[in-house]
């Protein structure tokens, strides 16, 4: 069993796909980030954190990385979207 912690952010100032992809690629290189996905149409950023990461410290790295790529882009965590997903490996069907 492993846990994936996902956080959703609302982006402002992001206006092109090339920048969105650059942000995704840069964030996925940060230790503790399993996946980063932008949605340009909705102006959102979804980040999956590894269970062993310090989310607060990782978010600080995410913030500085985004600002280096596109200084006018800012984002706010959507508190309603906090989710912890638990995957159960090897679970058979119930009878």
């Amino acid at each position: 069993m492993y846990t994936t912690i996902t956080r959703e952010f609302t982006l402002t100032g992001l206006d092109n796909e090339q920048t969105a992809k650059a942000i995704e690629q840069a964030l996925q290189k940060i230790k503790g980030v399993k996946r980063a996905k932008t949605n340009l149409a909705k102006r959102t950023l979804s980040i999956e954190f590894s269970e062993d990461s310090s989310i607060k410290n990782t978010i600080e790295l995410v913030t500085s990385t985004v600002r280096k790529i596109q200084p006018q882009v800012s984002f706010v965590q959507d508190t309603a979207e906090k989710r912890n997903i638990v995957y159960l490996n090897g679970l058979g069907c119930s009878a």
Side-chain angles (χ1 to χ4, degrees), residues 56-78:
K56 182 179 178 185
N57 292 339
T58 306
I59 289 175
E60 289 173 7
L61 285 171
V62 165
T63 301
S64 65
T65 301
V66 169
R67 292 228 167 85
K68 286 179 188 173
I69 295 169
Q70 194 70 26
Q72 75 266 19
V73 172
S74 61
F75 57 98
V76 176
Q77 184 171 345
D78 294 338

Side-chain angles (χ1 to χ4, degrees), residues 16-57:
N16 68 68
E17 191 67 33
Q18 185 177 6
T19 302
K21 291 297 176 194
I23 289 171
E24 287 177 8
Q25 291 171 354
L27 296 183
Q28 292 181 109
K29 294 177 183 177
I30 295 174
K31 183 180 178 186
V33 174
K34 290 176 74 174
R35 186 179 75 81
K37 183 73 178 152
T38 55
N39 182 323
L40 191 58
K42 292 182 178 180
R43 301 283 195 262
T44 59
L45 169 64
S46 175
I47 302 175
E48 287 182 19
F49 297 92
S50 55
E51 61 185 298
D52 60 343
S53 70
S54 166
I55 293 177
K56 182 179 178 185
N57 292 339

